[in-house]
Amino acid sequence: MNAFTPSRAHSPTRRGLLATAAGFGLSLQLLAVPAMAADGELNKRKVIVVICRGGMDGLTVAPPIGDGEYRGLRGGLALGDAALPLDGTFALHPQLTAVHALAKAGEARIAPAVATPDRARSHFEAQDVLETGAAGVYSTTSGWLNRTVETLSAHRKVDALSIGATAPLILRGKVQTASWSPGRGVDAEARLPTLLQDLYRNDALLGPALARGLATETMAKDATAGLDGGQPAMMASGKGVGGGAQQGREAAKTLGQSLAGFMREPGGPTVAAISLDGFDSHANQAGLLNQRLAYLDAVLDGVHTGLGPEWKNTVVLVATEFGRTARANGTGGTDHGTGSTALILGGSLKPGGIVGDWPTLKANALFENRDVAPTVDMRGLFKGVLAEHMGVDRAALDNAIFPSSAAVKPVLGLV
């Protein structure tokens, strides 16, 4: 065990929109929600959810270097003096320099043993549970962020927006969402949305949808002005940025700054969700995660620096569908596991150590003799943020947003 303390979160709402860009197969979704109260402070707060797809290895994100079993289990994957210390037990991966600086300033914390309710270790099933917020696999077709917007819409009009041709599961549901994809505009293409809006201005469904699309394009230009020629860096291939690691980091930081630009815009989004691919590390984990974590760190750095004064009103959650095995495998990697590490960042976090309890890596403490045993339900972490930071009531959290989850208490007191 270690001396860190468990945790909790805070509240805001309103807006609608989205920007994207990527590296290593990154797609971005932004989503607006309503201000739930007349309280001006609530209206300023923002939430960003970063999903690291592929099963991100929590023991690499935040290595428990002070746990006596760590080096023996990890072998050549164990991190030594290069790890960035947090306390006597935990450190951060050497590529997470921006996150480490925020942690030392009291603006970032870790949940080192967190998991969804799913235990099948299947990407498809675990991602379904992570994004739907349901207790079981394939039990609903809507995402918990969409249901959050639906709940909040009782208090104010809500707009939801995603970037790309298809909305991610976390944003699918009853609430209609708009999408925006940056492209190479020519005069005819630039005029087309306006022409369509004129044509369908009296159509109850298409008229408002086209109007939202035009507003999104305008906001996108304003939010990304001065960043890579006015557009976020786009990399649909998922192969990274040409020119090496430094360019990749710069592109990732630009993405984060673009997102921050959207969130600073009047009427811009209050809630954002970003998906980062490529964390499935069955082989050559050290090299793979060096890349991926450097990119993640740069995105978060861009969000932090780009938000400026708004950082104090923002909570960022970084989560993955499952962790990896505690033991390294024979190909320099790790296999699908259970407990992983979530990151919680923000300018108004309360001081504290780890979120939840550390179960240790002792043989009798491992889940099914192979994985980090989860001590925090991911839904509880999300619930805490939505309750205290977004103002969602407990009944809606337990029944509508995270169905059949009354037994899962919100993780409170982070903010």
Side-chain angles (χ1 to χ4, degrees):
M1 300 288 186
N2 96 19
F4 272 78
T5 59
S7 54
R8 331 184 177 208
H10 228 212
S11 107
T13 62
R14 165 177 149 55
R15 285 148 135 127
L17 197 296
L18 173 91
T20 191
F24 305 136
L26 176 153
S27 72
L28 168 83
Q29 324 292 333
L30 298 185
L31 153 72
V33 289
M36 291 188 59
D39 186 339
E41 291 304 311
L42 287 178
N43 297 342
K44 295 177 182 177
R45 295 172 187 154
K46 311 175 197 310
V47 174
I48 299 171
V49 178
V50 180
I51 299 175
C52 296
R53 300 189 186 279
M56 184 171 67
D57 180 36
L59 296 179
T60 295
V61 173
I65 55 177
D67 188 304
E69 309 297 322
Y70 167 68
R71 298 193 196 295
L73 287 169
R74 283 279 144 151
L77 293 180
L79 295 170
D81 294 339
L84 307 172
L86 293 174
D87 75 338
T89 300
F90 288 95
L92 288 173
H93 188 277
Q95 293 291 349
L96 296 175
T97 53
V99 175
H100 185 252
L102 289 170
K104 300 309 284 185
E107 297 180 354
R109 293 169 66 179
I110 62 172
V114 66
T116 71
D118 182 72
R119 297 291 179 267
R121 304 185 183 95
S122 158
H123 290 299
F124 299 108
E125 294 187 6
Q127 287 176 6
D128 178 86
V129 172
L130 174 64
E131 294 190 64
T132 64
V137 178
Y138 309 133
S139 57
T140 181
T141 58
S142 63
W144 63 266
L145 274 179
N146 191 286
R147 295 196 299 274
T148 297
V149 175
E150 183 182 4
T151 298
L152 294 172
S153 65
H155 304 274
R156 180 173 294 191
K157 183 179 180 295
V158 177
D159 291 320
L161 181 70
S162 68
I163 287 182
T166 305
L169 177 56
I170 199 170
L171 293 181
R172 295 177 199 164
K174 292 181 181 178
V175 176
Q176 183 179 2
T177 64
S179 64
W180 174 77
S181 295
R184 300 174 186 173
V186 296
D187 289 344
E189 290 175 343
R191 291 180 56 226
L192 183 58
T194 302
L195 294 173
L196 288 173
Q197 187 184 26
D198 288 342
L199 181 62
Y200 291 104
R201 64 183 180 277
N202 296 321
D203 188 292
L205 178 63
L206 293 178
L210 289 167
R212 284 196 301 271
L214 283 176
T216 296
E217 288 291 338
T218 300
M219 190 177 294
K221 291 176 182 177
D222 292 340
T224 60
L227 298 173
D228 284 351
Q231 298 252 14
M234 286 294 294
M235 286 175 287
S237 69
K239 300 298 184 182
V241 188
Q246 184 57 36
Q247 269 190 306
R249 253 195 115 97
E250 289 171 0
K253 185 169 182 177
T254 295
L255 170 64
Q257 290 173 330
S258 298
L259 168 56
F262 273 99
M263 300 189 85
R264 290 196 317 265
E265 284 292 306
T270 296
V271 177
I274 306 174
S275 295
L276 292 171
D277 292 323
F279 287 87
D280 198 7
S281 52
H282 287 287
N284 188 29
Q285 177 168 297
L288 176 69
L289 292 189
N290 268 352
Q291 273 190 331
R292 297 302 188 263
L293 293 177
Y295 198 89
L296 170 63
D297 189 69
V299 169
L300 296 173
D301 188 29
V303 169
H304 167 232
T305 58
L307 282 173
E310 290 303 309
W311 176 249
K312 70 179 183 299
N313 299 315
T314 304
V315 172
V316 182
L317 293 167
V318 181
T320 190
E321 69 263 34
F322 51 61
R324 317 293 298 188
T325 50
R327 297 177 183 87
N329 62 27
T331 59
T334 52
D335 299 318
H336 296 178
T338 307
S340 187
T341 296
L343 302 176
I344 308 96
L345 311 93
S348 59
L349 288 190
K350 288 183 178 177
I354 68 167
V355 179
D357 296 322
W358 175 238
T360 80
L361 296 176
K362 293 178 180 178
N364 62 0
L366 294 177
F367 179 72
E368 296 184 350
N369 192 39
R370 50 172 281 163
D371 305 335
V372 173
T375 64
V376 174
D377 189 311
M378 192 86 73
R379 294 170 296 173
L381 198 60
F382 296 153
K383 277 185 176 186
V385 172
L386 293 180
E388 292 187 324
H389 201 63
M390 300 299 293
V392 180
D393 67 75
R394 180 69 186 271
L397 291 170
D398 290 348
N399 301 301
I401 298 174
F402 299 98
S404 305
S405 68
V408 179
K409 296 180 180 179
V411 178
L412 304 172
L414 286 176
V415 181

